[in-house]
Amino acid sequence: MIERLNQISLNDFIEISCGNYHCLISPEESLSDEQLKERAFKFIIDYRSIVNPAGMRALLMDKEDLAKEQSKLLLLKVCKNLIAIDSYDQVREIFQLMKVDIGNLDDNQVREKLEYMLRTAIFEHRRNEERRLEENWGSKKSTPEEIRASFDSEIAFLMIFFKMSIDLKNTNAAVYANIVHQADVEISIRKRKT
C-alpha cells in the first residue's frame, strides 16, 4: 500500500493530479472511490506543502479562520436559543469561554450584547464568504489535458534550469516537489540580486 509521497512516481502523481486515483492501489488491494480520493488528496497536500510551504500555511490559516468563524456563529446561535428559554447563566458561561466580558451586565444588556455580536458575526461571515467566492470564481477547474500540459511545461523548464534530465517513471513525486521548491528558492535569490 502506498502511504508516502516518495513511494509514487512522478508519472503516477501527474495521473493522480488529473483525477486517476487507481494508480494508488495494487491489484490485490481494494479501496472505495472515496478512500482513494482521500488518499490522493493527502498526497496532493503533501506535494504542495513541499513545493510552497508558505502558501500551504496561508491556506491552512484560511481554513482555520473559517472554522473559528463558523464556531463563533454556532456558539452565538446557541446563546440566542438559551436566552429564549431564560438560561442566562449558561449564556454567561459561554461568553466567558469566548473571552467576552459581560460580568457587570444585567440580563437585558446581555441580550443586547448578544444581538449585536450575532449581527456582527453574520455580517463578517457573509463578507468573508463573498471574498472566498470571488477568489475561487476566477479559478476554474483545470482539465486533465491542462494539468498534463502544465507539468510538461514545468518539467521542461526545470530540466533547462538545472541542466538535468527528469525521468517521469523513475523520479518520485517527493523528490520532484523538492526540485520545484529548490528552483523557486534559487529564482527568488537571483531576483533579489538584480
Side-chain angles (χ1 to χ4, degrees):
M1 176 165 75
I2 298 171
E3 295 180 3
R4 295 183 317 275
L5 189 60
N6 65 358
Q7 294 175 302
I8 303 170
S9 72
L10 177 56
N11 190 58
D12 286 347
F13 182 76
I14 293 170
E15 287 301 311
I16 292 165
S17 299
C18 292
N20 180 9
Y21 308 137
H22 293 287
C23 57
L24 288 172
I25 57 173
S26 58
E28 64 274 354
E29 216 177 348
S30 175
L31 294 173
S32 71
D33 287 343
E34 190 58 37
Q35 290 171 313
L36 281 173
K37 194 173 184 176
E38 281 179 34
R39 191 183 288 183
F41 182 73
K42 177 200 174 299
F43 291 132
I44 290 170
I45 294 296
D46 290 348
Y47 175 85
R48 289 181 180 170
S49 295
I50 294 169
V51 170
N52 186 358
M56 277 308 295
R57 281 192 296 275
L59 179 66
L60 290 173
M61 286 173 51
D62 192 44
K63 297 286 185 193
E64 181 182 338
D65 289 345
L66 176 61
K68 287 178 181 177
E69 188 178 290
Q70 291 172 333
S71 297
K72 181 179 180 180
L73 259 174
L74 179 65
L75 284 173
L76 292 173
K77 288 177 181 178
V78 166
C79 287
K80 185 175 182 177
N81 290 333
L82 288 170
I83 284 179
I85 59 171
D86 291 327
S87 294
Y88 285 92
D89 290 339
Q90 289 178 313
V91 171
R92 283 183 165 77
E93 288 176 21
I94 292 172
F95 273 26
Q96 188 175 15
L97 288 172
M98 294 172 64
K99 302 204 182 341
V100 176
D101 184 23
I102 58 166
N104 57 350
L105 302 181
D106 62 32
D107 290 351
N108 193 38
Q109 291 171 319
V110 168
R111 183 173 39 266
E112 290 172 3
K113 175 93 172 172
L114 172 64
E115 289 171 4
Y116 172 78
M117 288 177 65
L118 189 55
R119 279 192 311 271
T120 303
I122 290 170
F123 171 78
E124 288 174 356
H125 179 68
R126 286 184 182 152
R127 184 187 61 202
N128 290 335
E129 276 301 304
E130 287 174 8
R131 178 188 54 83
R132 287 182 194 103
L133 286 173
E134 284 175 13
E135 288 173 357
N136 293 330
W137 186 77
S139 60
K140 68 175 182 91
K141 188 172 180 178
S142 299
T143 65
E145 292 78 25
E146 292 170 332
I147 293 169
R148 284 186 184 92
S150 174
F151 272 103
D152 288 345
S153 175
E154 184 179 71
I155 291 165
F157 170 78
L158 291 171
M159 290 191 329
I160 292 167
F161 186 79
F162 286 118
K163 297 175 180 57
M164 64 183 282
S165 178
I166 298 174
D167 182 353
L168 276 66
K169 294 199 184 297
N170 291 320
T171 303
N172 74 54
V175 168
Y176 179 75
N178 279 293
I179 292 170
V180 173
H181 178 69
Q182 188 60 40
D184 186 44
V185 169
E186 288 192 28
I187 290 168
S188 295
I189 290 169
R190 289 180 187 183
K191 281 183 181 178
R192 279 187 238 131
K193 287 181 178 179
T194 59

